[in-house]
Amino acid sequence: MPLSRTTLAAHLLQQQTLHPAVTTELSAVIEHMALAGKVIGRELSDAALHGALGLTGDTNVQGEVVQKLDERTNDIFVQTFEGQGGVVRAIVSEEMEKPCEVGGQAGGRAGEYVVFVDPLDGSSNLDANMTVGSIFSVHRVSSRLQTDLETGFLKPGRDQLASGYVLYGPSTVLVYTCGAGVYQFTLDRGIGEFILSGSRLKIPPRGKVYSANEGNYAKWPQGVQRFVDYLRDKDAATGRPYASRYSGCLVADVHRFLTGGGVYLYPGEISKPEGKLRLMYEAAPLGFIIEQAGGLASTGTQRIHDILPTAVHQRVPLIIGSYEDVGNAEEFVQGKR
Ligand code: FDP
């Protein structure tokens, strides 16, 4: 049976008539994310032929080494939003210490939205030709925002208006939510359009797979160690042991669980309790997607969406995935089991 050919633009138009949360402005932001995703997907496909792989020799605001493609993809997002007609006022990116104003004016008013973006998540996968992604989150700019641009963008995850990601794997896939379900699109390269390939996605309440960098096991708090020991134990009634899968790309691992269930964890370490992942452009947007699909996102002690951020590049421990699996993890972390 032939599949329907609903483009992203047609889908968003239809959603605008069904859900007040899906406004024309938000739809425009998502379409610009899709545009940036198409450009990035194309550049990644032959980056090795243009000498675009490898390190720049610099470190970013997080103190991490910068790949040439980290910089290039950041530029693509900035350029894309500089051409969006003023709906978005600023971009906050993993690759830029300070927010970048891209706004101009929309109808004489300053843009109403700020977009948080991780332009190239999992970039250490690039040299091995493995999956990488881009993650985004959209907030309304606070009306109190006057002088300090950065402080005005610090809102909890529950205030997100939209979030999503583009995954650059065997196919280029866009997943988004505006709080009215999770939708997936696959890029048809021949016609350059994202075509609807999954509607109102739901994550199974429990999975059979977990994902963590177990090389860090000795650095984890005991509760996390005991949770992973539990997942590796044999127990037919609860489907254990779970299989282990870790790609080194957060968004790829979370996408696996969105479709098949399971749990991803990047916990804090005893000497680094804040963990590695970033709240505003990694944990919160993926949390919005996963919770819209019926799953959970937690630090182990607090829902990701309830955290009141204190800095745009704040780090946070993350346990995300199927509702029951994340619930179990919380019990171990909190010493209840
Ligand atoms: P990367 O540094 O390559 O961008 O966001 C950071 C991230 O990748 C995640 O995508 C990934 O899951 C994790 O870090 C990998 O970190 P480790 O190498 O410590 O496992």
Side-chain angles (χ1 to χ4, degrees):
M1 195 177 76
L3 295 170
S4 72
R5 289 220 157 252
T6 305
T7 61
L8 177 64
H11 161 86
L12 289 168
L13 264 182
Q14 187 192 37
Q15 291 292 301
Q16 285 168 34
T17 64
L18 299 174
H19 303 288
V22 189
T23 59
T24 45
E25 289 83 3
L26 265 190
S27 301
V29 176
I30 291 164
E31 289 200 61
H32 278 85
M33 291 303 311
L35 174 60
K38 286 184 212 174
V39 177
I40 291 170
R42 190 191 61 201
E43 295 211 4
L44 291 177
S45 66
D46 61 0
L49 305 181
H50 303 289
L53 296 177
L55 304 177
T56 61
D58 296 330
T59 51
N60 67 10
V61 284
Q62 331 279 341
E64 296 161 344
V65 293
V66 178
Q67 303 262 352
K68 290 180 199 167
L69 279 167
D70 284 322
E71 270 186 7
R72 174 69 190 132
T73 52
N74 186 68
D75 290 349
I76 290 169
F77 277 107
V78 171
Q79 285 159 4
T80 302
F81 280 96
E82 274 171 346
Q84 42 88 35
V87 171
V88 172
R89 175 160 174 183
I91 295 186
V92 176
S93 163
E94 177 180 6
E95 301 305 326
M96 299 186 292
E97 186 174 359
K98 294 283 174 198
C100 169
E101 290 200 69
V102 289
Q105 302 271 306
R109 290 179 294 126
E112 276 184 52
Y113 301 101
V114 53
V115 175
F116 291 83
V117 64
D118 179 354
L120 203 55
D121 179 58
S123 55
S124 55
N125 276 359
L126 285 169
D127 289 339
N129 194 30
M130 288 172 66
T131 301
V132 290
S134 304
I135 311 174
F136 67 94
S137 162
V138 186
H139 280 269
R140 191 180 299 284
V141 174
S142 163
S143 54
R144 287 177 283 108
L145 183 62
Q146 303 293 343
T147 46
D148 182 359
L149 200 57
E150 186 167 332
T151 320
F153 295 161
L154 297 175
K155 291 183 164 192
R158 69 176 108 88
D159 286 358
Q160 288 172 102
L161 302 174
S163 79
Y165 54 83
V166 184
L167 202 56
Y168 313 102
S171 55
T172 297
V173 164
L174 171 96
V175 173
Y176 91 92
T177 187
C178 282
V182 178
Y183 292 89
Q184 174 178 301
F185 297 80
T186 301
L187 182 62
D188 180 332
R189 291 178 205 276
I191 58 171
E193 291 276 7
F194 276 108
I195 304 293
L196 186 65
S197 54
S199 290
R200 304 198 74 81
L201 301 185
K202 287 291 169 205
I203 178 169
R206 175 185 272 259
K208 293 184 174 142
V209 183
Y210 73 100
S211 185
N213 181 344
E214 294 194 62
N216 292 329
Y217 184 92
K219 303 181 200 167
W220 291 340
Q222 268 186 13
V224 176
Q225 290 178 335
R226 284 191 297 102
F227 175 60
V228 170
D229 294 344
Y230 163 85
L231 296 175
R232 294 197 296 211
D233 276 351
K234 206 169 160 204
D235 176 50
T238 51
R240 290 178 288 140
Y242 278 27
S244 166
R245 296 281 185 278
Y246 186 73
S247 74
C249 172
L250 166 71
V251 63
D253 287 322
V254 170
H255 187 68
R256 181 201 307 280
F257 297 137
L258 176 63
T259 50
V263 57
Y264 174 99
L265 48 155
Y266 207 110
E269 296 169 2
I270 291 165
S271 62
K272 195 182 167 197
E274 71 279 17
K276 174 181 184 189
L277 302 178
R278 275 49 65 108
L279 173 61
M280 301 302 284
Y281 40 82
E282 293 184 316
L286 295 179
F288 193 15
I289 293 277
I290 288 295
E291 294 208 355
Q292 273 288 306
L296 266 185
S298 170
T299 62
T301 56
Q302 186 181 17
R303 234 183 112 195
I304 292 291
H305 283 184
D306 290 335
I307 299 172
L308 292 171
T310 53
V312 291
H313 296 295
Q314 181 170 339
R315 294 176 193 269
V316 72
L318 178 65
I319 304 174
I320 186 168
S322 289
Y323 192 88
E324 289 176 21
D325 289 317
V326 177
N328 278 339
E330 285 178 321
E331 288 186 1
F332 278 98
V333 171
Q334 294 170 23
K336 294 178 183 161
R337 292 173 72 165

